[in-house]
């Protein structure tokens, strides 16, 4: 009996978070198109496997993660050496060396002698697409949409408000979120509050201050399928600079994103009428700081609420428009 040979493997390292994975989708799709006969394996946290597979750019996930944004060990790779290894994790020797230790036939990395120059002031999507272009691999920074979820939304048409963020520097005060929630509810919008693991106290505090119904408070971190459906079916997503904002862009859901220590020019949504990035210019701050960034605190509840209501206006008008007539065949 003749064995079918395994296809050659491309191992891509991007062992970061939810927003990082979504910002890397255009580059991953460029890799997918450049190596159609290869098996594309993404080294990343196992918890993001469902999302990685949903992009259509990845065949499998190799679990790998480290605290913060550190480079994880890849020593548990037991398969044959990758045909190609691609460093989409960073620009230093640590991530390059982690891949080089697997002895791939070809290694693509910023820190390689033939690596493209690091574009430190570029948007994250543009940076990694430009990196691939440097190796002759086309990639489109706007190729970032996800397919519609198959699961139904638990709150279709609701405004999704997510007050949490990975660091205090990117976390707008809960009392201000509560004021915006009250404004949105007064305008007739259903609001759903969400939070990830460890953000229960913050979310419940916002709910209590805004008089939010308990049934519209979702904490503890939803399974990806449910979270994806919730975002895709929302009329608007309001959040800080966090992964949920990237998920809104990936599903084409209107969004208002509050930026502080990092300019939206680096991590913000692509230009377009459905996404607003609110930011007060100033020197860059520490995105991993413990307290809210000074630029973030300059954003006031009135301007945030006004931005949300402006984007919601066409949604409300669409809801009032009569549906199309249906022609029945006889």
């Amino acid at each position: 009996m003749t064995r079918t040979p395994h296809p050659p493997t491309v191992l891509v390292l991007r062992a970061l978070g939810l927003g990082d994975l979504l910002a890397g989708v255009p580059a991953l799709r460029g890799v997918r198109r450049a190596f159609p006969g290869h098996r594309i394996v993404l080294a990343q946290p196992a918890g993001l496997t469902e999302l990685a597979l949903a992009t259509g750019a990845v065949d499998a996930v190799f679990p790998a993660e480290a605290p913060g944004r550190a480079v994880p060990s890849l020593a548990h790779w037991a398969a044959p050496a990758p045909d190609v290894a691609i460093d989409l994790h960073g620009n230093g020797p640590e991530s390059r060396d982690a891949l080089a230790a697997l002895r791939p036939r070809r290694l693509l990395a910023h820190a390689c002698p033939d690596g493209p120059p690091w574009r430190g002031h570029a948007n994250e999507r543009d940076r990694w697409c430009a990196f691939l272009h440097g190796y002759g691999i086309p990639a489109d920074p706007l190729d970032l949409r996800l397919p519609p979820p198959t699961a139904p939304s638990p709150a279709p048409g609701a405004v999704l408000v997510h007050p949490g963020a990975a660091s205090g520097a990117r976390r707008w005060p809960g009392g201000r979120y509560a004021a915006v929630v009250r404004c949105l509810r007064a305008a007739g919008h259903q609001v759903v509050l969400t939070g990830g693991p460890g953000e229960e106290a913050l979310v419940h505090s916002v709910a209590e201050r805004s008089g939010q119904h308990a049934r519209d408070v979702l904490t503890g971190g939803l399974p990806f399928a449910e979270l994806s459906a919730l975002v895709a079916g929302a009329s608007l997503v309001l959040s800080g600079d966090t992964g949920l904002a990237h998920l809104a862009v990936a599903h084409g859901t209107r969004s208002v994103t509050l930026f502080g220590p990092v300019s939206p020019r680096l991590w913000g949504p692509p230009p377009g009428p459905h996404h607003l990035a609110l930011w007060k210019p100033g020197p860059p701050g520490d995105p991993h700081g413990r307290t809210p960034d000074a630029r973030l605190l300059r954003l006031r509840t009135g301007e945030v609420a006004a931005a949300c209501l402006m984007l919601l206006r066409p949604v409300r008008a669409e809801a009032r428009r009569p549906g199309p007539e249906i022609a029945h065949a006889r």
Side-chain angles (χ1 to χ4, degrees):
M1 185 175 181
T2 304
R3 285 188 179 179
T4 303
H6 293 292
T9 298
V10 175
L11 177 62
V12 182
L13 174 60
R14 191 168 176 82
L16 299 165
L18 171 64
D20 301 277
L21 173 54
L22 289 166
V25 165
L28 289 171
R29 287 182 173 152
V31 171
R32 169 82 282 172
R33 288 188 294 269
F35 299 96
H38 288 59
R39 184 169 183 258
I40 311 297
V41 179
L42 178 61
Q44 62 151 37
L48 296 173
T49 296
E50 195 172 356
L51 170 56
L53 298 178
T55 67
V58 173
D59 297 310
V61 164
F62 176 63
E65 58 185 304
R69 303 180 71 81
V71 177
S73 170
L74 304 178
H76 53 300
W77 176 267
D83 187 62
V84 182
I86 302 177
D87 181 5
L88 297 184
H89 189 94
N91 67 328
E94 296 87 355
S95 49
R96 176 204 61 194
D97 292 348
L99 289 169
L102 304 181
R103 300 186 181 279
R105 186 182 65 81
R106 185 184 180 198
L107 175 59
L108 281 59
H110 274 295
C112 285
D114 65 343
W118 175 256
R119 300 177 63 194
H121 297 289
N123 184 278
E124 185 74 0
R125 294 180 302 274
D126 297 333
R127 172 188 296 128
W128 291 109
C129 288
F131 163 75
L132 292 178
H133 275 282
Y135 281 108
I137 299 174
D140 180 2
L142 298 181
D143 186 10
L144 45 73
R145 291 290 294 272
L146 291 178
T150 55
S153 169
V159 176
L160 182 57
V161 176
H162 185 83
S167 67
R170 291 180 280 138
R171 209 174 292 144
W172 203 47
R176 299 191 191 184
Y177 273 112
V180 175
V181 170
R182 291 194 298 270
C183 180
L184 293 171
R185 291 182 60 196
H189 297 282
Q190 178 193 3
V191 177
V192 170
L193 290 172
T194 63
E199 295 178 344
E200 291 82 0
L202 170 63
V203 175
H204 285 297
S205 171
V206 174
E208 184 177 347
R209 295 184 190 190
S210 60
Q212 186 76 353
H213 299 298
R215 66 175 181 271
D216 291 329
V217 178
L218 305 173
T219 60
L222 297 174
F224 173 73
E226 188 175 350
L227 179 65
S228 184
L230 182 65
V231 171
S235 56
L236 177 83
V237 172
L238 168 63
S239 73
D241 174 18
T242 188
L244 210 67
H246 292 274
L247 191 56
V249 172
H251 280 310
T253 301
R254 289 173 169 83
S255 66
V256 174
T257 308
L258 313 182
F259 283 82
V262 176
S263 165
R265 183 170 58 84
L266 302 179
W267 282 93
H274 292 162
H275 306 290
L276 287 178
L278 302 186
W279 183 65
K280 302 296 184 182
D286 178 8
H288 308 294
R290 295 185 177 183
T291 58
D293 183 80
R295 282 154 294 278
L296 188 62
L297 292 177
R298 287 165 58 193
L299 294 174
R300 298 299 176 186
T301 56
E303 63 184 306
V304 174
C308 292
L309 292 173
M310 182 181 72
L311 287 186
L312 286 166
R313 198 174 300 132
V315 176
R316 181 59 59 86
E318 186 70 26
R320 289 197 299 264
R321 189 178 302 165
E325 294 184 1
I326 301 175
H328 296 275
R330 293 182 182 271

